[in-house]
């Protein structure tokens, strides 16, 4: 699979899954713009992209803000000369029961995970459609396929991503643009690990964070082990190359959603 001459953009690319996808695309030959709320970590990933011999640019963005998203795409085009592959990966999570979930929390999660994917997809389609080629990869979740307790707002946002992906895929299908959702299972990024991650928050009495992490892998995943950012990068490269795969929501989850 070969992406030489293509320009990719990865939001939330400063760390975790986004960084894994950025490096996999670079490894396949693409130049990769790395956008993140945190410019310092975007710069770190951009330096890693350059270390494998590809061009890169680090961009500060808030995907929930239309002006910020517009400026991000303008910068990618100005610095790297186009936009062929848009990976809309930035996302956030919080744990709240349905009783304690506030309207503000719900809006905050939806603004980044659902509206952010909409704004980034729209900005990408606007530049891809006239060129009649494009790949849009929206990072959803296993929570876009099945519900998880205390994550009703997050689950709603990820179901939204999959429905949106399916609809836009049909809308742009005649224009050489594919739109797919990539659904990670459990990946040991900042979202899961540490005291504030899911493994830290979902501890049983007296359980260490490490033990909670091991337990969740065993109980949620038929294969028993977490996936990696590199696993997500492999699927992203495939979707960036594939011509006739569109409108799909493909899980890389060790069988979690079987
Ligand atoms: P992470 O928390 O390690 O990284 C997320 C990145 O997004 C961070 O660099 C952060 O600065 C950036 N970001 C957050 N809000 C932003 C905003 N408004 N604008 C721009 N950038 C922003 O998380 P991880 O695990 O790498 O997650 C990436 C995506 O994968 C998310 O959409 C998440 O929902 C999804 N996912 C993750 C899973 C996991 O097990 N880690 C499982 C399923 C889905």
């Amino acid at each position: 699979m070969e992406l030489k001459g293509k320009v990719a953009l990865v939001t939330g690319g400063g760390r975790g899954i986004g960084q894994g996808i950025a490096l996999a695309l670079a490894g396949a030959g693409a130049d990769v713009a790395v956008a993140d709320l945190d410019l310092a970590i975007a710069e770190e990933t951009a330096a890693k992209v350059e270390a494998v011999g590809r061009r890169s640019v680090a961009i500060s963005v808030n995907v929930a803000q239309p002006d910020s998203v517009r400026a991000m795409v303008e910068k990618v085009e100005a610095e790297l000369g186009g936009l062929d592959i848009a990976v809309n990966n930035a996302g956030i999570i919080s744990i709240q029961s349905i009783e304690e979930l506030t309207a503000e929390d719900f809006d905050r999660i939806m603004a980044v995970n659902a509206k952010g994917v909409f704004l980034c997809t729209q900005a990408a389609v606007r530049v891809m459609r006239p060129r009649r080629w494009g790949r849009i990869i929206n990072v959803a979740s296993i929570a876009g396929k099945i519900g998880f307790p205390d994550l009703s707002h997050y689950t709603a946002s990820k179901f939204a991503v999959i429905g949106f992906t399916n609809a836009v895929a049909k809308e742009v299908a005649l224009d050489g643009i594919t739109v797919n959702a990539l659904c990670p299972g459990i990946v040991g990024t900042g979202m899961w690990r540490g005291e504030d991650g899911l493994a830290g928050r979902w501890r049983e009495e007296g359980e260490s964070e490490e033990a909670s992490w091991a337990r969740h892998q065993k109980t949620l995943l038929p294969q028993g082990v977490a996936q990696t950012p590199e696993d997500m990068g492999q699927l992203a490269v495939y979707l960036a190359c594939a011509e006739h795969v569109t409108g799909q929501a493909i899980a890389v989850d060790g069988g979690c959603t079987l």
Side-chain angles (χ1 to χ4, degrees), residues 41-230:
I41 61 173
E43 284 168 344
E44 286 172 21
T45 303
K48 290 181 180 176
V49 169
E50 286 170 352
V52 300
R54 308 315 314 168
R55 293 185 306 150
S56 187
V57 58
I59 302 170
S60 166
V61 71
N62 181 349
V63 297
Q65 300 289 340
D67 290 348
S68 182
V69 169
R70 210 170 300 124
M72 168 181 72
V73 171
E74 280 170 11
K75 185 151 187 183
V76 178
E77 296 236 290
E79 301 270 334
L80 299 179
L83 175 59
D84 305 297
I85 302 157
V87 182
N88 303 321
N89 162 79
I92 55 173
I93 201 165
S94 66
I95 303 172
Q96 275 134 321
S97 71
I98 187 62
E99 290 97 336
E100 69 186 2
L101 183 63
T102 66
E104 289 73 26
D105 294 327
F106 187 89
D107 285 347
R108 192 172 57 86
I109 295 286
M110 293 299 276
V112 178
N113 295 3
K115 187 172 76 176
V117 166
F118 147 58
L119 292 171
C120 292
T121 298
Q122 181 183 61
V125 168
R126 283 180 174 153
V127 299
M128 290 171 178
R129 222 203 273 252
R131 298 175 191 147
R132 303 189 66 77
W133 200 93
R135 299 287 182 263
I136 297 173
I137 301 168
N138 295 326
V139 177
S141 170
I142 47 174
K145 289 173 173 270
I146 55 175
F148 288 88
D150 296 336
L151 295 178
S152 60
H153 50 323
Y154 181 79
T155 301
S157 73
K158 295 299 189 177
F159 268 70
V161 169
I162 292 178
F164 174 80
T165 298
N166 192 281
V168 179
K170 287 179 180 154
E171 199 171 324
V172 300
L174 288 176
D175 298 304
I177 304 170
T178 67
V179 191
N180 289 288
L182 184 163
C183 303
I186 294 187
V187 186
T189 64
M191 198 165 269
W192 263 97
R193 300 307 309 271
E195 296 300 303
D196 291 333
L198 296 173
R201 295 285 310 280
W202 279 338
R203 268 185 287 187
E204 287 172 350
E205 191 137 349
E207 190 180 44
S208 68
E209 188 270 345
E210 188 69 36
S212 163
W213 170 238
R215 176 171 57 82
H216 281 97
Q217 291 175 70
K218 289 210 166 56
T219 52
L220 288 173
L221 302 170
Q223 288 185 334
V225 287
Q227 297 81 54
T228 64
E230 291 73 25

Side-chain angles (χ1 to χ4, degrees), residues 14-31:
R15 67 180 203 187
I17 290 170
Q19 184 178 79
I21 292 174
L23 295 181
L25 294 170
D31 295 325

